[in-house]
mmCIF file of all heavy atoms in Angstrom:
data_model
loop_
_atom_site.group_PDB
_atom_site.id
_atom_site.type_symbol
_atom_site.label_atom_id
_atom_site.label_comp_id
_atom_site.label_asym_id
_atom_site.label_seq_id
_atom_site.Cartn_x
_atom_site.Cartn_y
_atom_site.Cartn_z
ATOM 1 N N GLN N 29 17.022 31.889 59.531
ATOM 2 C CA GLN N 29 18.442 32.014 59.216
ATOM 3 C C GLN N 29 19.118 30.665 59.428
ATOM 4 O O GLN N 29 18.811 29.951 60.387
ATOM 5 C CB GLN N 29 19.108 33.080 60.088
ATOM 6 C CG GLN N 29 20.549 33.392 59.683
ATOM 7 C CD GLN N 29 21.083 34.640 60.360
ATOM 8 O OE1 GLN N 29 20.336 35.389 60.985
ATOM 9 N NE2 GLN N 29 22.373 34.884 60.226
ATOM 10 N N GLY N 30 20.018 30.318 58.527
ATOM 11 C CA GLY N 30 20.730 29.053 58.640
ATOM 12 C C GLY N 30 20.056 27.929 57.877
ATOM 13 O O GLY N 30 19.163 28.144 57.061
ATOM 14 N N HIS N 31 20.496 26.713 58.172
ATOM 15 C CA HIS N 31 20.041 25.528 57.446
ATOM 16 C C HIS N 31 19.172 24.651 58.344
ATOM 17 O O HIS N 31 19.523 24.386 59.494
ATOM 18 C CB HIS N 31 21.241 24.706 56.967
ATOM 19 C CG HIS N 31 22.187 25.478 56.105
ATOM 20 N ND1 HIS N 31 23.547 25.206 56.018
ATOM 21 C CD2 HIS N 31 21.973 26.547 55.294
ATOM 22 C CE1 HIS N 31 24.120 26.054 55.189
ATOM 23 N NE2 HIS N 31 23.184 26.873 54.738
ATOM 24 N N LEU N 210 28.856 30.473 41.713
ATOM 25 C CA LEU N 210 28.411 31.080 42.965
ATOM 26 C C LEU N 210 29.569 31.287 43.942
ATOM 27 O O LEU N 210 29.565 32.236 44.745
ATOM 28 C CB LEU N 210 27.339 30.212 43.626
ATOM 29 C CG LEU N 210 25.922 30.354 43.058
ATOM 30 C CD1 LEU N 210 25.019 29.251 43.596
ATOM 31 C CD2 LEU N 210 25.331 31.716 43.394
ATOM 32 N N ARG N 217 22.736 38.125 46.456
ATOM 33 C CA ARG N 217 21.984 36.919 46.124
ATOM 34 C C ARG N 217 20.547 37.292 45.750
ATOM 35 O O ARG N 217 19.949 38.192 46.325
ATOM 36 C CB ARG N 217 21.987 35.943 47.294
ATOM 37 C CG ARG N 217 23.365 35.375 47.628
ATOM 38 C CD ARG N 217 23.928 34.606 46.454
ATOM 39 N NE ARG N 217 25.114 33.831 46.777
ATOM 40 C CZ ARG N 217 26.303 34.017 46.223
ATOM 41 N NH1 ARG N 217 26.466 35.005 45.333
ATOM 42 N NH2 ARG N 217 27.325 33.241 46.528
ATOM 43 N N LEU N 218 20.026 36.563 44.751
ATOM 44 C CA LEU N 218 18.684 36.856 44.248
ATOM 45 C C LEU N 218 17.614 36.524 45.284
ATOM 46 O O LEU N 218 16.585 37.197 45.369
ATOM 47 C CB LEU N 218 18.434 36.067 42.962
ATOM 48 C CG LEU N 218 17.105 36.286 42.246
ATOM 49 C CD1 LEU N 218 16.934 37.754 41.859
ATOM 50 C CD2 LEU N 218 17.006 35.390 41.018
ATOM 51 N N TYR N 219 17.848 35.470 46.083
ATOM 52 C CA TYR N 219 16.858 35.032 47.070
ATOM 53 C C TYR N 219 17.472 35.066 48.468
ATOM 54 O O TYR N 219 18.615 34.645 48.663
ATOM 55 C CB TYR N 219 16.377 33.613 46.759
ATOM 56 C CG TYR N 219 15.726 33.491 45.406
ATOM 57 C CD1 TYR N 219 16.405 32.916 44.328
ATOM 58 C CD2 TYR N 219 14.434 33.971 45.199
ATOM 59 C CE1 TYR N 219 15.805 32.814 43.091
ATOM 60 C CE2 TYR N 219 13.834 33.869 43.955
ATOM 61 C CZ TYR N 219 14.524 33.300 42.902
ATOM 62 O OH TYR N 219 13.933 33.216 41.664
ATOM 63 N N ARG N 220 16.676 35.533 49.421
ATOM 64 C CA ARG N 220 17.123 35.484 50.817
ATOM 65 C C ARG N 220 16.857 34.112 51.419
ATOM 66 O O ARG N 220 17.612 33.643 52.269
ATOM 67 C CB ARG N 220 16.413 36.563 51.634
ATOM 68 C CG ARG N 220 16.863 36.622 53.092
ATOM 69 C CD ARG N 220 16.300 37.822 53.813
ATOM 70 N NE ARG N 220 16.720 37.840 55.219
ATOM 71 C CZ ARG N 220 16.404 38.800 56.073
ATOM 72 N NH1 ARG N 220 15.658 39.833 55.683
ATOM 73 N NH2 ARG N 220 16.822 38.729 57.326
ATOM 74 N N HIS N 221 15.772 33.480 50.976
ATOM 75 C CA HIS N 221 15.384 32.183 51.538
ATOM 76 C C HIS N 221 15.118 31.182 50.411
ATOM 77 O O HIS N 221 14.549 31.546 49.369
ATOM 78 C CB HIS N 221 14.118 32.311 52.392
ATOM 79 C CG HIS N 221 14.223 33.334 53.484
ATOM 80 N ND1 HIS N 221 15.036 33.182 54.569
ATOM 81 C CD2 HIS N 221 13.617 34.548 53.633
ATOM 82 C CE1 HIS N 221 14.927 34.234 55.360
ATOM 83 N NE2 HIS N 221 14.065 35.081 54.813
ATOM 84 N N ILE N 222 15.521 29.944 50.645
ATOM 85 C CA ILE N 222 15.237 28.858 49.701
ATOM 86 C C ILE N 222 14.610 27.705 50.478
ATOM 87 O O ILE N 222 15.100 27.301 51.533
ATOM 88 C CB ILE N 222 16.511 28.376 48.981
ATOM 89 C CG1 ILE N 222 17.043 29.481 48.058
ATOM 90 C CG2 ILE N 222 16.233 27.106 48.180
ATOM 91 C CD1 ILE N 222 18.321 29.120 47.330
ATOM 92 N N VAL N 223 13.493 27.194 49.953
ATOM 93 C CA VAL N 223 12.806 26.038 50.535
ATOM 94 C C VAL N 223 12.809 24.932 49.480
ATOM 95 O O VAL N 223 12.382 25.148 48.341
ATOM 96 C CB VAL N 223 11.363 26.387 50.948
ATOM 97 C CG1 VAL N 223 10.652 25.161 51.509
ATOM 98 C CG2 VAL N 223 11.358 27.523 51.971
ATOM 99 N N SER N 237 24.872 23.690 45.650
ATOM 100 C CA SER N 237 24.704 24.959 44.934
ATOM 101 C C SER N 237 23.635 25.824 45.582
ATOM 102 O O SER N 237 23.769 27.047 45.641
ATOM 103 C CB SER N 237 24.369 24.699 43.459
ATOM 104 O OG SER N 237 23.062 24.155 43.302
ATOM 105 N N LEU N 238 22.576 25.194 46.100
ATOM 106 C CA LEU N 238 21.513 25.963 46.746
ATOM 107 C C LEU N 238 21.977 26.523 48.087
ATOM 108 O O LEU N 238 21.599 27.632 48.476
ATOM 109 C CB LEU N 238 20.275 25.090 46.919
ATOM 110 C CG LEU N 238 19.600 24.676 45.602
ATOM 111 C CD1 LEU N 238 18.530 23.627 45.851
ATOM 112 C CD2 LEU N 238 19.014 25.882 44.883
ATOM 113 N N ALA N 239 22.811 25.768 48.796
ATOM 114 C CA ALA N 239 23.367 26.289 50.042
ATOM 115 C C ALA N 239 24.239 27.508 49.775
ATOM 116 O O ALA N 239 24.297 28.448 50.586
ATOM 117 C CB ALA N 239 24.174 25.208 50.752
ATOM 118 N N ALA N 240 24.904 27.510 48.617
ATOM 119 C CA ALA N 240 25.758 28.646 48.257
ATOM 120 C C ALA N 240 24.957 29.811 47.692
ATOM 121 O O ALA N 240 25.499 30.912 47.531
ATOM 122 C CB ALA N 240 26.809 28.196 47.238
ATOM 123 N N ALA N 241 23.685 29.594 47.394
ATOM 124 C CA ALA N 241 22.879 30.610 46.713
ATOM 125 C C ALA N 241 22.156 31.544 47.670
ATOM 126 O O ALA N 241 21.467 32.467 47.221
ATOM 127 C CB ALA N 241 21.858 29.938 45.791
ATOM 128 N N ILE N 242 22.278 31.316 48.982
ATOM 129 C CA ILE N 242 21.612 32.210 49.935
ATOM 130 C C ILE N 242 22.650 33.098 50.625
ATOM 131 O O ILE N 242 23.815 32.712 50.771
ATOM 132 C CB ILE N 242 20.816 31.420 51.002
ATOM 133 C CG1 ILE N 242 21.738 30.460 51.771
ATOM 134 C CG2 ILE N 242 19.654 30.683 50.366
ATOM 135 C CD1 ILE N 242 21.085 29.819 52.978
ATOM 136 N N PRO N 243 22.254 34.291 51.067
ATOM 137 C CA PRO N 243 23.177 35.177 51.779
ATOM 138 C C PRO N 243 23.390 34.704 53.214
ATOM 139 O O PRO N 243 22.689 33.806 53.698
ATOM 140 C CB PRO N 243 22.460 36.525 51.741
ATOM 141 C CG PRO N 243 21.007 36.171 51.696
ATOM 142 C CD PRO N 243 20.919 34.898 50.894
ATOM 143 N N THR N 244 24.319 35.314 53.920
ATOM 144 C CA THR N 244 24.624 34.895 55.283
ATOM 145 C C THR N 244 23.446 35.113 56.232
ATOM 146 O O THR N 244 23.334 34.440 57.257
ATOM 147 C CB THR N 244 25.851 35.658 55.814
ATOM 148 O OG1 THR N 244 25.608 37.069 55.681
ATOM 149 C CG2 THR N 244 27.091 35.274 55.022
ATOM 150 N N ASN N 245 22.577 36.070 55.917
ATOM 151 C CA ASN N 245 21.403 36.302 56.769
ATOM 152 C C ASN N 245 20.159 35.612 56.237
ATOM 153 O O ASN N 245 19.046 35.923 56.643
ATOM 154 C CB ASN N 245 21.134 37.803 56.914
ATOM 155 C CG ASN N 245 20.692 38.439 55.597
ATOM 156 O OD1 ASN N 245 20.942 37.892 54.523
ATOM 157 N ND2 ASN N 245 20.047 39.593 55.680
ATOM 158 N N GLY N 246 20.349 34.648 55.350
ATOM 159 C CA GLY N 246 19.220 33.932 54.753
ATOM 160 C C GLY N 246 19.068 32.539 55.328
ATOM 161 O O GLY N 246 19.740 32.148 56.288
ATOM 162 N N SER N 247 18.165 31.760 54.721
ATOM 163 C CA SER N 247 17.901 30.413 55.228
ATOM 164 C C SER N 247 17.679 29.439 54.085
ATOM 165 O O SER N 247 17.252 29.822 52.989
ATOM 166 C CB SER N 247 16.665 30.410 56.139
ATOM 167 O OG SER N 247 15.475 30.604 55.386
ATOM 168 N N LEU N 248 17.987 28.180 54.367
ATOM 169 C CA LEU N 248 17.661 27.080 53.465
ATOM 170 C C LEU N 248 16.944 26.020 54.283
ATOM 171 O O LEU N 248 17.448 25.571 55.322
ATOM 172 C CB LEU N 248 18.918 26.494 52.820
ATOM 173 C CG LEU N 248 18.665 25.378 51.787
ATOM 174 C CD1 LEU N 248 19.692 25.432 50.660
ATOM 175 C CD2 LEU N 248 18.708 23.991 52.436
ATOM 176 N N THR N 249 15.748 25.629 53.842
ATOM 177 C CA THR N 249 14.962 24.598 54.523
ATOM 178 C C THR N 249 14.774 23.425 53.569
ATOM 179 O O THR N 249 14.258 23.596 52.469
ATOM 180 C CB THR N 249 13.589 25.131 54.970
ATOM 181 O OG1 THR N 249 13.758 26.369 55.662
ATOM 182 C CG2 THR N 249 12.913 24.132 55.889
ATOM 183 N N LEU N 270 25.669 21.793 54.110
ATOM 184 C CA LEU N 270 24.697 22.232 55.099
ATOM 185 C C LEU N 270 25.275 22.122 56.511
ATOM 186 O O LEU N 270 25.907 21.111 56.861
ATOM 187 C CB LEU N 270 23.418 21.388 55.011
ATOM 188 C CG LEU N 270 22.709 21.357 53.656
ATOM 189 C CD1 LEU N 270 21.439 20.521 53.762
ATOM 190 C CD2 LEU N 270 22.391 22.754 53.169
#
Side-chain angles (χ1 to χ4, degrees):
Q29 188 168 350
H31 303 151
L210 280 169
R217 294 299 191 242
L218 183 59
Y219 300 103
R220 182 171 179 178
H221 305 291
I222 293 178
V223 178
S237 70
L238 293 170
I242 58 171
T244 55
N245 67 339
S247 71
L248 183 146
T249 311
L270 303 182

